[in-house]
Amino acid sequence: MDEYQTEEETTFVVDEVSKVIKESVEAAIGGNTYQHSRVNQWTTGVVEQCLSQLSKLGKPFKYIVTCIIMQKNGAGLQTASTCFWDNSTDGSCAVRWENKSMYCIVSVFGLAI
Amino acid sequence: MEEFHNGNEGSFNSDEADNIVKECIEGVVGADDYSQNLVNKWTAGIVERCLTQLVKQGKSYKYIVTCAVMQKTGAGLHTANSCFWDTAMDGSCTVRWENRTMYCVVSVFAVAIA
């Protein structure tokens, strides 16, 4: 009997993860205007939604999801990340989303177990 | 013969990482004012320096270091992290730093290698 595991199942697939992130952000903060009193629950909602969708993919990965929400008022924001991992199996994906009143940047890092 | 086992050896030491990160930030942007031309270099410099210092500790971890630098203009900024990992072995640490003209938020995530 032939038993094989496709490469896709054990490497980080950026497109798939990108799609998951976009859907999660839309679902969590889609039509809203920046509000100081609600942004706490939005960032939590975005990361939790992303994480639960990612774990549903059922791949042997540990995940780290980060989310930044910034009000649009002309301030400059720069982010960077660097990783010390296994290049053949691990990967990351960052999605920048915006509406009229705020920016949302979500990064997902996947590390193979 | 008594055997003394330090409980911390198998898990991430976030205090140590905290100190490393603070020193790296001070070293790169310590005395500077926010500058759009330089901010790219700063974020890259901070994450690289942090990673180098962390790896030097020689522990069997994979690391992810993220850094956000924001100009102080009164805008609201909120960040959140969520992690799906082994809570006994893996860990993270976040450092918030500021000076007169900018905020800097650095997060370190350490994931144990089996």
Side-chain angles (χ1 to χ4, degrees):
Chain A
M1 195 193 303
D2 265 348
E3 218 180 303
Y4 71 97
Q5 196 173 36
T6 61
E7 210 185 78
E8 230 191 55
E9 281 175 25
T10 51
T11 53
F12 189 79
V13 181
V14 175
D15 292 333
E16 191 179 32
V17 173
S18 178
K19 204 163 116 277
V20 168
I21 299 174
K22 286 184 179 130
E23 285 168 7
S24 303
V25 172
E26 273 295 330
I29 60 178
N32 294 304
T33 307
Y34 183 89
Q35 262 176 275
H36 178 70
S37 55
R38 295 188 63 192
V39 72
N40 198 359
Q41 85 194 67
W42 287 338
T43 46
T44 316
V46 169
V47 293
E48 279 176 3
Q49 178 95 342
C50 281
L51 202 57
S52 72
Q53 294 304 314
L54 287 166
S55 56
K56 274 190 192 158
L57 294 175
K59 295 191 173 180
F61 276 92
K62 292 182 179 179
Y63 293 105
I64 291 161
V65 182
T66 72
C67 169
I68 295 175
I69 293 182
M70 186 174 86
Q71 187 181 16
K72 274 188 176 179
N73 89 341
L77 174 76
Q78 178 81 15
T79 68
S81 66
T82 187
C83 311
F84 181 73
W85 59 23
D86 181 340
N87 276 335
S88 54
T89 55
D90 305 332
S92 69
C93 166
V95 170
R96 279 155 286 279
W97 180 95
E98 65 179 283
N99 66 12
K100 267 202 345 191
S101 58
M102 57 186 169
Y103 297 104
C104 177
I105 301 169
V106 178
S107 299
V108 172
F109 302 91
L111 298 128
I113 297 173
Chain B
M1 196 193 304
E2 262 180 28
E3 222 176 298
F4 176 69
H5 182 67
N6 179 358
N8 260 342
E9 268 173 28
S11 57
F12 180 63
N13 186 341
S14 64
D15 290 332
E16 213 179 328
D18 207 81
N19 288 331
I20 290 173
V21 170
K22 284 190 178 122
E23 282 172 20
C24 293
I25 298 175
E26 281 290 335
V28 177
V29 294
D32 297 325
D33 282 345
Y34 182 88
S35 151
Q36 198 186 354
N37 298 329
L38 295 176
V39 70
N40 200 357
K41 243 176 46 166
W42 290 336
T43 48
I46 289 169
V47 294
E48 278 170 29
R49 193 182 277 214
C50 285
L51 194 61
T52 315
Q53 296 304 314
L54 288 163
V55 170
K56 263 194 198 159
Q57 292 183 304
K59 300 185 178 174
S60 67
Y61 277 98
K62 293 180 179 178
Y63 293 102
I64 291 161
V65 182
T66 70
C67 167
V69 173
M70 185 176 86
Q71 190 180 14
K72 275 189 175 179
T73 62
L77 177 77
H78 213 97
T79 69
N81 305 314
S82 185
C83 307
F84 181 74
W85 59 21
D86 180 343
T87 50
M89 304 288 296
D90 306 329
S92 68
C93 120
T94 302
V95 172
R96 281 157 285 278
W97 179 96
E98 65 180 283
N99 68 10
R100 215 175 41 100
T101 54
M102 56 184 168
Y103 296 104
C104 178
V105 181
V106 176
S107 292
V108 173
F109 302 92
V111 176
I113 299 172

